[in-house]
Amino acid sequence: MTNIKGAIFDVDGTMLDSMQIWENVAENYLISQGAVPQPELNDELSQIGGHQIPAYFRAEYGLTQTEEAIHAGIHALLADFYFNEAPLKAGIIEILEAFQNRGIKMCVATATDRSLIEPALQRCGIAKYFGRIFTCAEEQTSKSRPDIYLTAAEFLGTEAADTLVFEDALYAVKSATQAGFPVVAVYDMLAEDHQDEIRALGDYYFKSLADFPL
């Protein structure tokens, strides 16, 4: 990793131990609207960006609320956790501090809304390390495509091959590696069923970022 000039960090499941809130939030929202969640709901949602969920709910579950109203309802279920509870994963502060000391430029690429991510990063004391936060909603993309990583690298002024991407989700690891980024794959329990594939695809794999070599 000696030639690394930039780093792009996912948030949920990578820097924040926050995936557990997502495990039930979609199901709980659908139930609150009188819909019956399908067993494969979370697998389906894991393949799309958070900003695409309202349209998915309207198309697949027949919800009649506007996409804006669905988004607001889900956001309300998530906000308290991000604002007050979501903890950092072990090892992340040490990595950010080491990268900053080495002059490695850093930014965030997340599928979660800025209004949830920014307060959480500020509360945890790590917002200061990042030059910018890129969100799938604002970029109108999903991490099933590499666009957000390419945009982030352009902001950093680094080539893909010189830019580490930290991710925990299989579909995101796939798109980043296919675009030529070296990927640090991070274990998260919500992706337990995909760990063999994630380990095989990532250039580096860590059960805990506390084991990342500094």
Side-chain angles (χ1 to χ4, degrees):
M1 303 185 196
T2 54
N3 295 324
I4 293 302
K5 299 176 182 176
I8 301 168
F9 289 84
D10 172 55
V11 178
D12 294 296
T14 301
M15 294 196 295
L16 289 183
D17 192 5
S18 53
M19 289 305 295
Q20 67 272 21
I21 195 67
W22 288 96
E23 188 170 13
N24 298 313
V25 68
E27 179 179 347
N28 290 341
Y29 180 77
L30 287 172
I31 291 171
S32 76
Q33 301 304 310
V36 179
Q38 296 301 307
E40 66 277 9
L41 174 63
N42 283 336
D43 286 338
E44 293 291 333
L45 295 185
S46 71
Q47 303 302 313
I48 64 177
H51 68 290
Q52 296 171 305
I53 291 175
Y56 176 85
F57 281 178
R58 282 171 55 86
E60 297 297 324
Y61 288 90
L63 298 192
T64 57
Q65 299 93 326
T66 65
E67 291 184 21
E68 291 77 12
I70 294 171
H71 180 275
I74 295 172
H75 187 281
L77 296 176
L78 294 166
D80 183 66
F81 177 76
Y82 278 94
F83 292 177
N84 300 303
E85 298 179 39
L88 289 174
K89 280 194 161 184
I92 189 60
I93 288 181
E94 291 79 4
I95 292 171
L96 298 176
E97 189 68 22
F99 280 13
Q100 184 180 70
N101 290 339
R102 294 174 195 169
I104 296 173
K105 294 176 283 187
M106 296 174 281
C107 64
V108 167
T110 178
T112 302
D113 287 353
R114 178 181 299 274
S115 59
L116 297 172
I117 292 302
E118 279 191 334
L121 298 185
Q122 290 167 359
R123 174 178 55 79
C124 292
I126 62 172
K128 62 185 179 182
Y129 293 103
F130 303 110
R132 187 166 168 182
I133 295 172
F134 293 90
T135 73
C136 287
E138 292 169 357
E139 298 301 319
Q140 289 295 293
T141 190
S142 162
K143 286 188 177 179
S144 58
R145 299 163 54 95
D147 304 16
I148 195 167
Y149 306 116
L150 296 170
T151 300
E154 182 179 6
F155 167 78
L156 294 174
T158 57
E159 299 294 327
D162 302 324
T163 310
L164 278 180
V165 171
F166 288 74
E167 276 287 359
D168 69 300
L170 176 59
Y171 77 111
V173 172
K174 281 182 179 178
S175 62
T177 55
Q178 288 169 358
F181 290 90
V183 173
V184 177
V186 183
Y187 171 84
D188 189 81
M189 63 182 299
L190 210 59
E192 184 73 51
D193 293 344
H194 303 296
Q195 289 308 300
D196 289 344
E197 293 173 89
I198 291 171
R199 186 193 299 267
L201 278 172
D203 296 86
Y204 312 95
Y205 177 88
F206 296 97
K207 193 76 178 267
S208 169
L209 286 178
D211 298 324
F212 187 88
L214 299 175

